Amino acid sequence: MNINIDLGNRSYPIYIGADTSGNFPAFYKDQYKNRKCAIVTNNTIASIYSSYINTLKTELGCPVHTMPDGEKYKTINTWSAILDDLLAFRLDRKSVVVALGGGVVGDMAGFAAACFMRGIDYIQIPTTLLAMVDSSVGGKTAVDHPLGKNLIGAFHQPTAVWIDTDFLKTLPRRQYVAGYAEAFKYAFIGGGEMFAYMMNNKDALLRAEPEPLLESIRRGVRIKADIVSRDEKEAGVRALLNFGHTFAHALESYYGFEGLLHGEAVLWGMLCAVELAKVSGALPPQHWDALDRVMDGLPLPPLPSPPEVSAVYAAMFADKKTELGELRFILPILPGMSEVRGGVRERDILGTLEKVLHV
Ligand SMILES: NC(=O)c1ccc[n+]([C@@H]2O[C@H](COP(=O)([O-])OP(=O)(O)OC[C@H]3O[C@@H](n4cnc5c(N)ncnc54)[C@H](O)[C@@H]3O)[C@@H](O)[C@H]2O)c1
């Protein structure tokens, strides 16, 4: 299955399938001929997939840069070490970086490719559900800064994305559920048909049943591809992809980026967004039942500790979506459709946090 991101001469294909990683070397040789490549991965993937990486090394003759595993290594120092290796590997302007890993590896390798010799091509081979449905597509690359996540980066689109759901067989369950959140969010922004699809398949997707898994990824990626094609640099409609994220970022920051994975925070954030849509009047009452039913049974993780609502509220003002000090939320207005809304009353936001987080 092939989905295209339509960005003029920077358009690229996204291949989605199961058990397809063995075909990647043939694809590379066919499409990229004898252009030199280097793999960027992390030590966890390098150990689980050592035989696959050896195959890539043998068939494509590509060296490997292995970074340490974890968001805490998503730094300018790690990025610099990748660039050191790309130079040591004698890559040139025609060379290609192949990112093999989750969102951290993809963002780092993408940012290295964006800067190496003023920008070279890269291919994403995502290995987490979050990276498959979200981070590998769309060209946002970045590293974190002590003052905040993803503060230093660039828009740099990959030239291909190769999604093989078989990688998910080794993904820890907690990481799978975190990725599930990013797949599930498309129910709120992808139109009525996607809403109905997720309503009917959310449990099968949570169980990682192969066909609903593939189909949810296809549908999610198609929605993201369409949004990115229309608004590459997030001047408008791309903000919808942040559904639930205003609350999620505040929760992550409140807990000091520990104890709650990003996707887990997004699950709570989506619940808050639906509640706020109800109390603020964005979502007409006749749709409340449909939204409640789609949220029913979400795999909500426990919060690390009972949150102090006023502090979570204060943390919201650091969000990148804040404009001139005003909070902006992506709120559902119909099943499958959301809008960016400002001007939401403080008491509605505080009431939402109080109700949803103090369960
Ligand atoms: N660029 C974007 O548009 C975008 C969008 C969303 C998130 N992100 C970024 O993505 C990052 C989060 O990505 P993530 O959730 O994939 O986290 P991650 O990359 O840290 O991966 C999660 C964990 O799973 C391990 N792992 C990965 N694949 C595995 C596999 N197949 N089997 C076993 N273990 C595996 C990793 O080594 C890691 O320990 C954040 O840094 C976030 O900022 C970027």
Side-chain angles (χ1 to χ4, degrees):
M1 172 73 190
N2 179 356
I3 292 170
N4 207 47
I5 291 245
D6 192 2
L7 290 168
N9 61 4
R10 289 173 300 113
S11 298
Y12 56 95
I14 301 160
Y15 302 95
I16 305 173
D19 192 19
T20 56
S21 57
N23 304 335
F24 179 77
F27 158 80
Y28 187 90
K29 284 187 239 178
D30 180 55
Q31 296 291 311
Y32 293 79
K33 310 295 178 208
N34 49 10
R35 287 168 66 184
K36 194 164 179 172
C37 64
I39 298 169
V40 175
T41 191
N42 73 22
N43 51 349
T44 303
I45 308 285
S47 138
I48 301 174
Y49 291 99
S50 58
S51 92
Y52 180 57
I53 291 174
N54 279 334
T55 306
L56 294 179
K57 276 161 82 173
T58 313
E59 294 210 25
L60 303 178
C62 52
V64 181
H65 174 92
T66 306
M67 59 172 275
D69 183 5
E71 181 78 30
K72 70 171 187 241
Y73 296 106
K74 195 176 163 186
T75 61
I76 209 80
N77 287 343
T78 311
W79 167 84
S80 181
I82 297 174
L83 291 174
D84 288 347
D85 262 0
L86 299 187
L87 288 166
F89 298 155
R90 296 191 177 284
L91 261 55
D92 59 29
R93 285 193 184 148
K94 290 273 172 233
S95 301
V96 181
V97 170
V98 177
L100 177 69
V104 171
V105 166
D107 280 14
M108 300 275 318
F111 188 40
C115 299
F116 186 78
M117 301 202 173
R118 298 201 180 89
I120 62 169
D121 288 350
Y122 75 110
I123 298 171
Q124 293 268 19
I125 307 184
T127 61
T128 63
L129 181 55
L130 181 141
M132 291 178 190
V133 292
D134 196 357
S135 64
S136 65
V137 173
K140 280 189 183 177
T141 74
V143 297
D144 298 336
H145 184 275
L147 290 181
K149 277 186 68 175
N150 297 324
L151 290 184
I152 299 165
F155 282 96
H156 186 54
Q157 299 290 344
T159 52
V161 182
W162 188 276
I163 297 176
D164 176 357
T165 53
D166 271 30
F167 282 115
L168 300 177
K169 289 180 176 164
T170 58
L171 188 69
R173 177 70 185 165
R174 188 172 173 198
Q175 294 290 346
Y176 184 86
V177 171
Y180 174 87
E182 297 286 6
F184 189 72
K185 79 178 174 200
Y186 292 109
F188 300 94
I189 60 173
E193 205 185 308
M194 183 60 174
F195 184 86
Y197 181 84
M198 288 310 276
M199 176 83 94
N200 295 330
N201 291 281
K202 61 183 177 150
D203 298 335
L205 174 61
L206 197 53
R207 290 191 296 270
E209 287 178 20
E211 201 34 58
L213 173 60
L214 257 181
E215 185 57 21
S216 309
I217 294 172
R218 276 187 203 123
R219 286 175 184 249
V221 166
R222 208 177 291 128
I223 293 164
K224 180 153 186 185
D226 175 57
I227 289 177
V228 171
S229 299
R230 288 191 280 145
D231 177 26
E232 184 183 4
K233 303 231 165 126
E234 202 167 315
V237 71
R238 189 165 178 171
L240 294 178
L241 292 166
N242 292 321
F243 183 79
H245 285 57
T246 310
F247 290 103
H249 289 152
L251 282 170
E252 286 181 278
S253 151
Y254 173 79
Y255 289 112
F257 297 94
E258 275 174 19
L260 202 58
L261 296 174
H262 172 69
E264 294 176 328
V266 171
L267 286 172
W268 282 101
M270 291 192 292
L271 215 56
C272 290
V274 171
E275 177 62 21
L276 184 60
K278 290 180 188 173
V279 296
S280 68
L283 182 70
Q286 67 266 34
H287 300 301
W288 291 13
D289 183 47
L291 272 282
D292 286 344
R293 276 189 293 125
V294 82
M295 306 292 287
D296 191 36
L298 268 196
L300 273 182
L303 292 170
S305 60
E308 196 190 313
V309 159
S310 58
V312 176
Y313 178 65
M316 284 184 170
F317 287 88
D319 195 84
K320 279 190 276 219
K321 286 177 293 305
T322 308
E323 260 187 19
L324 302 173
E326 184 191 63
L327 292 176
R328 293 162 84 236
F329 296 90
I330 292 114
L331 298 181
I333 54 165
L334 284 173
M337 196 184 288
S338 295
E339 264 182 15
V340 181
R341 291 276 172 110
V344 182
R345 285 174 303 201
E346 182 180 277
R347 71 180 151 94
D348 288 343
I349 304 167
L350 287 168
T352 293
L353 290 171
E354 211 46 78
K355 178 165 176 195
V356 176
L357 301 182
H358 285 163
V359 282

